[in-house]
Amino acid sequence: MDQRGSLALQLTVSGKVELPCQRCLGSMPYVVDVGRTLYLARNEAEMERLDALPDSDAIQAGETLNLVDLVEDEVLLSLPLAVMHAEGECSVTGAQ
Ligand SMILES: [Zn+2]
């Protein structure tokens, strides 16, 4: 809880996942490193107030919050849409 009484959640996720390369479909390691502060709004009015703040990410939370879903969403959002091996590291070469 900050000085203004707002609830905030500090989220840090780090680890490694394997993503399919869009060129050769082979797997490539991708390092996940998520660090976010999410403000938790308890109602609509608080949500509007928090959304108006600069650099503020707010979500509306009721009495309970499903942390597993939240962490999963944050990780999925952090992943690039399409990844490819670097030139020379991909098993498909010369493809344009
Ligand atoms: Zn590849």
Side-chain angles (χ1 to χ4, degrees):
M1 194 178 283
D2 70 9
Q3 303 94 315
R4 290 167 308 195
S6 302
L7 296 175
L9 183 70
Q10 198 98 41
L11 180 76
T12 308
V13 183
S14 57
K16 206 161 86 174
V17 295
E18 298 281 333
L19 295 177
C21 166
Q22 296 299 299
R23 191 154 41 196
C24 71
L25 299 181
S27 77
M28 56 179 293
Y30 182 81
V31 175
V32 174
D33 189 11
V34 178
R36 297 241 292 159
T37 300
L38 294 168
Y39 285 97
L40 305 178
R42 279 159 289 202
N43 51 51
E44 290 282 335
E46 202 169 29
M47 184 76 190
E48 276 175 31
R49 186 176 65 79
L50 290 168
D51 261 345
L53 297 174
D55 304 319
S56 161
D57 286 316
I59 54 171
Q60 199 167 337
E63 290 297 308
T64 60
L65 182 65
N66 189 330
L67 274 183
V68 174
D69 284 353
L70 181 72
V71 170
E72 186 180 335
D73 285 349
E74 289 296 323
V75 171
L76 289 176
L77 281 174
S78 78
L79 298 178
L81 288 177
V83 289
M84 272 186 224
H85 290 117
E87 285 292 334
E89 286 173 31
C90 193
S91 63
V92 176
T93 52
Q96 290 295 320

